[in-house]
Amino acid sequence: YINTTCPKGVDENERLHFISPYGCSKGAVDQYVLDYAHTFGIRAVVIRQSCIYGPHQLGVEDQGWVAHFSKQFILNHPITIFGDGYQVRDLLHVDDLTHLYDRAIQSIHTVTGQALNAGGGITNAYSLHQVLELLKTKIGSSPQITYMAERVGDQKYFVSNNTKAKKLLGWKPNISFTSGVESLITWQKENLT
């Protein structure tokens, strides 16, 4: 999915706009870290994580939703979608995220006092419907899916533009969602009780 208003995704210069207490708390911490780095010389960087998934994640509806959906498919339990299911997110495997953290730590002098996006980018952008279809294919079950009203604060589209992390740290996501989700499914099948 490509949004014509931001065809390369949303970058770090996008104005923060808080719609919910959850978003406000994330944005406040973001700004505190940047301010402490600038004011007190603390070596710190903000990593603005998108939708992270991977092994060792069980997930719930609000956090770790890919893992939550996968778990529901494996257990053949119902799934609730808030909104129409055409919301688009970029998905980042946890191994790619840890590589970014490693690089940021190793080059903290380069990134101190800055915010960096960490998402799957345009190539790993999927609607909720697409994620559900992929899980259905990979797991082979068809749980009941219920639709409810969109929640306050839910975004229709968010895809990270990771250009800054690539420029400063040489980082980019390497694991495609279609292959990376298999490690999540395998771990969940081995560990769900």
Side-chain angles (χ1 to χ4, degrees), residues 14-28 89 150-158:
E14 182 72 24
R15 185 178 73 84
L16 298 180
H17 180 68
F18 307 131
I19 300 171
S20 67
Y22 171 71
C24 187
S25 67
K26 285 180 70 173
R89 300 289 182 271
E150 181 179 313
R151 298 173 298 186
V152 173
D154 282 347
Q155 296 172 302
K156 293 277 189 197
Y157 179 89
F158 185 84

Side-chain angles (χ1 to χ4, degrees), residues 24-192:
C24 187
S25 67
K26 285 180 70 173
V29 169
D30 184 301
Q31 295 304 291
Y32 271 114
V33 170
L34 296 177
D35 191 57
Y36 270 75
H38 290 233
T39 304
F40 302 109
I42 294 172
R43 294 185 304 168
V45 61
V46 171
I47 306 291
R48 293 178 178 165
Q49 299 177 185
S50 192
C51 297
I52 311 302
Y53 71 94
H56 304 280
Q57 183 182 40
L58 294 175
V60 294
E61 284 178 336
D62 293 323
Q63 298 297 317
W65 61 270
V66 173
H68 173 70
F69 284 177
S70 176
K71 176 179 61 176
Q72 298 302 90
F73 268 88
I74 290 166
L75 300 173
N76 203 26
H77 288 175
I79 294 173
T80 300
I81 300 291
F82 296 94
D84 60 12
Y86 292 103
Q87 305 92 308
V88 173
R89 300 289 182 271
D90 64 330
L91 305 163
L92 183 66
H93 193 277
V94 68
D95 288 351
D96 279 333
L97 178 64
T98 57
H99 290 143
L100 174 59
Y101 273 93
D102 286 342
R103 288 184 184 204
I105 291 166
Q106 292 167 7
S107 300
I108 194 66
H109 59 281
T110 302
V111 294
T112 286
Q114 298 192 55
L116 301 175
N117 283 346
I122 294 291
T123 58
N124 290 297
Y126 290 81
S127 72
L128 273 61
H129 282 300
Q130 288 175 307
V131 171
L132 293 171
E133 283 302 312
L134 182 66
L135 292 172
K136 180 179 179 180
T137 299
K138 289 190 178 288
I139 297 170
S141 65
S142 297
Q144 177 187 355
I145 298 173
T146 303
Y147 292 85
M148 296 189 69
E150 181 179 313
R151 298 173 298 186
V152 173
D154 282 347
Q155 296 172 302
K156 293 277 189 197
Y157 179 89
F158 185 84
V159 174
S160 291
N161 178 329
N162 301 312
T163 302
K164 188 174 179 182
K166 184 175 183 181
K167 179 181 175 185
L168 295 177
L169 298 172
W171 177 86
K172 65 182 179 89
N174 290 311
I175 301 170
S176 72
F177 178 64
T178 54
S179 64
V181 74
E182 291 177 10
S183 65
L184 167 65
I185 293 168
T186 299
W187 183 85
Q188 286 184 324
K189 284 182 174 179
E190 293 171 355
N191 292 280
L192 289 173

